[in-house]
């Protein structure tokens, strides 16, 4: 069973319940915590990040900045890899 | 804008942290860069100084974090190495600007990513990698009360499921494609290590309540607008499992884009290195998963060897080499244990997309003879991920060699590309 601790960490910590703030995803307020990624906020808003060439809704796949499925518009800047960006107060995210 | 360091380390996971710390402690000017916002790479993602000691190998993280901090080695977060515009120069993009770094020695610790394979429904929102799902939860996605299926292949599946179960997620099933016979051989080879077996048992206890089935795999994900259920098979019968999320990844593959761009020799899917972790390119070393998927201990040891070597301390580097052999054997066993079954090649239907960036279907790729032909005729692999997802899948599905690399190795800002065009002596022509 050595392989378990060699390749993966089972360490998961839930965020504290205090010190939350909100960002908006397509105008919807989403409560988040210090360190929550924008991609996680988009999933919790139940919105896709983008629509594909054929118009399919897409959401984060790899979670580590490789697949580019989590691209969205953050504070007016397009093509942001939202899995590698932390939420900040007053952030406005637009998907699609 | 340019800075010069004796040693530049790319990737701040365990291997990169160890390499940077050792080289800096030996007196070299070192710079450690990473595209993520924090130290630790993937395996130590989300580890915090205050709480890490509670977790398996958390103390190892804390030890290297402390050693790095004491050296005052600068840590450049949010930067991606995208090109090598001339000998001894690395071009970085990130933080809305670009930067050139000059190096005497370069240590690549680019790590690994999950392998994704196409099956009907794999593009639905809610279908993520297994490690991908864990990374998202570490980044604040609330998994409490959700029902998840974890599937694919590799030791990562159990770690991910154990972590999720431990924070109140309903893990409806863990499906490992490798047959038990293949895994048992692997496990038996490890019986000489009781302490670690105990650790493993602890992990497994945490997953109680979730069936871990070997020799089974997801054949399809279904749902309207997002995943609502998956169909699983053991090769004989099929059954349906309802879920909110599917975490599905087929073990790990090294991130070879940067080593390939630089011209490092690659063989059998990993970078070729000598006993001092040096690649075929003078002055360029490579450590960790990119020299073969072998896990934490191997990465940390290789990092130390490369760190000593970069500091000109060959004797110290060579003294560590014997320990590495055991870990390399472990890497070879891993590869055999989680080898992919051929049935996985049959999952994609004609209309199933293989390339998610350009929406290229399996049917559209059928007539191509090579990766190059597929790119030219269908735009497969020409999108934003630059073939990182579909190229990896196509290697398995069609047996193509999918490693043609050109700069920038990550999408970059136009201003960075303009600097690219001005570079006087491109190394990649």
């Amino acid at each position: 069973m050595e392989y378990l601790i060699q390749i993966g960490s089972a360490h998961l910590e839930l965020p504290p319940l205090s010190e939350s703030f909100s960002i908006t995803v397509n105008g919807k307020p989403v409560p988040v915590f210090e360190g929550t990624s924008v991609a996680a906020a988009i999933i919790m808003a139940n919105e896709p990040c983008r629509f594909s060439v054929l118009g399919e809704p897409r959401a984060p796949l790899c979670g580590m900045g490789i697949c580019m499925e989590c691209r969205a518009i953050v504070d007016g800047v397009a093509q942001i890899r939202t899995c590698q960006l932390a939420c900040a107060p007053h952030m406005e995210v637009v998907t699609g | 804008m340019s800075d010069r360091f004796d040693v530049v380390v790319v990737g701040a996971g365990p291997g990169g942290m160890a390499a940077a710390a050792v080289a800096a402690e030996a007196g070299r000017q070192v710079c450690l860069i990473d595209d993520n916002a924090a130290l630790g790479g993937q395996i130590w993602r989300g580890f915090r100084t205050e709480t890490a000691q509670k977790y398996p190998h958390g103390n190892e993280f804390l030890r290297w974090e402390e050693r790095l901090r004491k050296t005052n080695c600068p840590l450049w977060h949010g930067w991606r190495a995208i090109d090598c515009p001339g000998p001894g120069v690395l071009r970085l993009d990130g933080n809305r600007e670009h930067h050139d770094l000059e190096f005497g020695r370069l240590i690549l610790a680019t790590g690994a990513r999950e392998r994704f394979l196409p099956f009907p429904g794999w593009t639905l929102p809610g279908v993520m990698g297994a490690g991908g799902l864990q990374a998202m939860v570490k980044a604040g996605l609330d998994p409490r009360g959700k029902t998840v299926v974890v599937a694919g292949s590799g030791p990562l599946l159990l770690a991910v499921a154990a972590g999720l179960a431990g924070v109140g997620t309903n893990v409806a099933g863990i499906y490992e494609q490798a047959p038990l016979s293949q895994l048992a051989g692997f496990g038996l080879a490890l019986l000489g290590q009781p302490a670690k077996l105990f650790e493993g048992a602890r992990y497994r206890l945490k997953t109680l309540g979730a069936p871990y089935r070997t020799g089974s795999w997801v054949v399809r994900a279904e749902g309207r607008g997002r995943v609502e259920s998956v169909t699983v098979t053991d090769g004989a019968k099929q059954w349906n499992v309802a879920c909110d999320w599917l975490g599905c990844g087929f073990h790990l593959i090294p991130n070879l884009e940067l080593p390939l761009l630089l011209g490092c020799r690659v063989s059998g899917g990993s970078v070729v290195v000598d006993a001092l972790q040096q690649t075929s390119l003078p002055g360029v070393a490579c450590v960790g998963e990119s020299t073969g998927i072998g896990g934490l201990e191997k990465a940390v040891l290789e990092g130390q060897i490369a760190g000593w070597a970069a500091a000109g301390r060959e004797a110290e580097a060579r003294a560590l080499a014997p320990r590495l052999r055991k870990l390399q054997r472990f890497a070879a066993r891993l590869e055999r244990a989680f080898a992919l079954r051929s049935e996985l090649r049959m999952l994609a239907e004609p209309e199933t997309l293989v390339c998610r960036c350009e929406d290229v279907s399996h049917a559209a790729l059928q007539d191509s003879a090579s990766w190059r032909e597929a790119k030219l005729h269908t735009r497969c692999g020409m999108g934003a991920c630059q073939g990182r997802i579909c190229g990896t899948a196509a290697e398995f599905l069609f047996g193509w060699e999918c490693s043609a690399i050109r700069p920038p190795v990550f999408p970059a800002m136009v201003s960075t590309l303009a600097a690219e065009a001005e570079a006087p002596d491109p190394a990649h022509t």
Side-chain angles (χ1 to χ4, degrees), chain B residues 299-355:
Chain B
V300 169
L301 193 62
E302 290 187 350
Q304 293 175 79
I305 292 172
W308 283 122
R313 303 272 287 271
E314 237 185 74
E316 283 90 342
R318 289 198 191 279
L320 296 173
R323 275 176 56 204
L324 193 54
R325 274 178 224 121
K326 187 192 90 185
L327 299 169
Q328 283 163 340
R329 284 197 296 274
F330 171 76
R333 284 204 303 270
L334 258 185
E335 194 175 329
R336 282 196 301 275
F338 296 99
L340 298 181
R341 60 175 59 239
S342 60
E343 288 96 323
L344 300 173
R345 288 197 181 86
M346 317 307 292
L347 296 180
E349 291 174 354
E351 66 276 16
T352 304
L353 298 181
V354 175
C355 172

Side-chain angles (χ1 to χ4, degrees), chain B residues 273-311:
Chain B
V273 291
D274 66 14
L276 295 174
Q277 298 304 127
Q278 306 304 301
T279 69
S280 61
L281 214 64
V284 180
C286 192
V287 304
E289 303 295 49
S290 33
T291 70
I293 303 298
L296 176 61
E297 218 172 315
K298 170 176 166 291
V300 169
L301 193 62
E302 290 187 350
Q304 293 175 79
I305 292 172
W308 283 122

Side-chain angles (χ1 to χ4, degrees), chain B residues 208-295:
Chain B
L208 271 182
Y212 178 68
R213 293 188 67 134
T214 55
S216 55
W217 60 97
V218 168
V219 293
R220 147 188 316 272
E222 284 151 328
R224 265 177 297 176
R226 51 166 297 109
V227 65
E228 291 165 347
S229 70
V230 297
T231 303
V232 183
T233 187
D234 58 5
K237 57 185 189 303
Q238 294 197 349
W239 64 99
N240 205 259
V241 185
C243 62
D244 298 305
W245 296 325
L246 165 64
C248 184
F250 293 87
H251 203 28
L252 307 176
I253 53 148
N255 289 321
L256 297 179
E257 288 74 17
L258 193 56
L260 282 169
L261 178 78
L262 291 166
C264 302
R265 196 160 82 80
V266 166
S267 172
S270 54
V271 178
V272 178
V273 291
D274 66 14
L276 295 174
Q277 298 304 127
Q278 306 304 301
T279 69
S280 61
L281 214 64
V284 180
C286 192
V287 304
E289 303 295 49
S290 33
T291 70
I293 303 298

